[in-house]
Amino acid sequence: MPKIVVDVMPKAELLDPQGKAVGGALARLGKSEISEVRIGKRFELTIEGDLTDELQAQVRDIARNILSNSIIEDVVNITVENTDGERA
Amino acid sequence: MSFTIGVVTFPGSLDEQDAQRAIHLAGAEAVELWHGDHDLRNVDAVVLPGGFSYGDYLRAGAIAAFSPIMREIIDAAGRGMPVLGICNGFQMLVEAHLLPGGLIRNNHQQFIRRDQALTVENTSTSWTNDFSVGEEIIIPLKNGDGGYIADAETLKRVEGEGLVAFRYAGLNPNGSLNDIAGLTNERGNVVGLMPHPEHAVEPGFGPDTPQAMRSGVDGLRFFTSALRALAAV
């Protein structure tokens, strides 16, 4: 069964408090070569049946309008995988 | 004339009974509404209460914005029905695009609870007409995702069109742009804010004031404002 992976990140120009906190923790641990951390989300959508062009278009729409909020986030990547992990 | 104001319960709502009590104290009848219904039960106005709807798992207020009852509320808001979104309700209103911009995690990462001073900026809305412009009020604030953001163009429009209903006074508790604590739509019937007016409606249960502990009732005027707006129609 095909699986679609959608990656969503907070907009680059926006404050990402989670990433900032983790970045601060890494700096306190002495990992000073890491200058910034940003935290996003990964959605895995498993598809029943064939992945048609129409369904892919629907998923792009879902990613843009439901999984992300374009005011605060960007969809940075949409990838199709087979459930065995191979990229199609 | 008696008015009814609906309060929607979502899975994870916390403050719907406080909102119902506030509505009673203001002199209206509170009607319980359910997130999974398409029925607004002929209410004259709606309050979206605070809490953590559907666990806020996608984004704060996002799943609720797609719930069945929200389709009815979006339609009714478009026809001019007064809608107040408090905290999680405000997050639903921005996720449903009834109000511009978005709300993100507080800049200090902490959940915050405090008695918050606000400056009233816009008194021509259905929920603020009992206030005066420039007045300072105190109502409780309690949230983790209260940072208001918008792109530069939206922020310019929000300021230019007078859509800021309330600003944080004295202290910005979460990094909100331009100290924005609450917004209205162009028509003035939809208002959202992060602090909780329903927790400041009865002496003995509200924020402290210089006169007496827990005596603050500034929140009641949100609800009396709505009744005044409904009576004026």
Side-chain angles (χ1 to χ4, degrees):
Chain A
M1 275 185 297
K3 187 166 75 182
I4 301 181
V5 178
V6 178
D7 293 315
V8 174
M9 290 296 291
K11 280 192 182 295
E13 66 274 20
L14 217 81
L15 173 69
D16 168 19
Q18 286 185 84
K20 203 174 153 206
V22 173
L26 292 177
R28 284 192 297 279
L29 292 168
K31 311 294 182 193
S32 55
E33 50 288 314
I34 297 167
S35 63
E36 195 186 357
V37 178
R38 296 185 72 78
I39 300 179
K41 288 179 198 155
R42 171 187 167 106
F43 298 85
E44 298 185 350
L45 314 178
T46 302
I47 307 299
E48 290 291 335
D50 292 335
L51 185 55
T52 60
D53 288 351
E54 191 196 344
L55 191 53
Q56 289 206 52
Q58 268 187 49
V59 168
R60 281 195 294 275
D61 183 59
I62 289 168
R64 258 199 313 273
N65 296 313
I66 299 176
L67 302 183
S68 68
N69 173 350
S70 63
I71 292 159
I72 56 178
E73 296 164 325
D74 291 319
V75 177
V76 294
N77 196 30
I78 300 181
T79 315
V80 179
E81 290 180 358
N82 291 315
T83 39
D84 57 10
E86 263 178 51
R87 296 208 167 188
Chain B
M1 180 164 178
S2 168
F3 294 106
T4 59
I5 301 181
V7 181
V8 184
T9 298
F10 298 87
S13 291
L14 295 176
D15 297 319
E16 66 268 45
Q17 302 222 347
D18 303 66
Q20 289 170 26
R21 177 167 143 271
I23 289 162
H24 281 299
L25 289 167
E29 186 191 337
V31 174
E32 292 181 15
L33 301 177
W34 182 242
H35 71 107
D37 291 342
H38 276 283
D39 185 3
L40 291 183
R41 299 176 64 186
N42 293 317
V43 293
D44 301 302
V46 163
V47 174
L48 300 172
F52 298 88
S53 54
Y54 303 91
D56 275 350
Y57 285 121
L58 182 57
R59 295 175 303 279
I63 303 176
F66 297 108
S67 66
I69 195 117
M70 278 303 283
R71 270 190 256 164
E72 308 304 321
I73 290 170
I74 290 165
D75 283 353
R79 293 192 300 269
M81 188 182 76
V83 178
L84 176 67
I86 301 166
C87 197
N88 198 215
F90 184 19
Q91 293 157 346
M92 291 173 206
L93 292 176
V94 296
E95 284 286 345
H97 306 297
L98 286 174
L99 293 174
L103 291 155
I104 60 169
R105 187 72 51 89
N106 294 343
N107 60 348
H108 45 72
Q109 291 272 343
Q110 311 287 317
F111 190 95
I112 187 168
R113 190 226 67 86
R114 67 193 309 270
D115 289 346
Q116 177 68 48
L118 302 175
T119 307
V120 180
E121 297 279 333
N122 184 332
T123 57
S124 59
T125 84
S126 298
W127 300 93
T128 61
N129 58 65
D130 253 354
F131 295 108
S132 326
V133 171
E135 183 183 359
E136 194 166 293
I137 63 172
I138 296 180
I139 61 175
L141 171 91
K142 44 166 193 159
N143 66 65
D145 289 60
Y148 181 74
I149 61 115
D151 60 38
E153 193 184 315
T154 305
L155 197 60
K156 200 173 157 196
R157 183 173 71 81
V158 160
E159 293 287 355
E161 295 179 7
L163 303 186
V164 178
F166 300 94
R167 280 185 224 276
Y168 297 114
L171 176 146
N172 181 330
N174 48 31
S176 280
L177 293 181
N178 293 14
D179 300 326
I180 289 171
L183 289 177
T184 179
N185 62 349
E186 289 84 351
R187 193 167 176 170
N189 62 309
V190 178
V191 170
L193 76 165
M194 287 313 298
H196 287 259
E198 79 282 17
H199 295 327
V201 293
E202 192 175 13
F205 299 91
D208 292 347
T209 68
Q211 286 73 43
M213 282 171 64
R214 301 196 178 142
S215 61
V217 293
D218 287 334
L220 189 60
R221 282 184 285 161
F222 284 78
F223 303 94
T224 54
S225 291
L227 298 188
R228 193 192 295 254
L230 289 169
V233 172

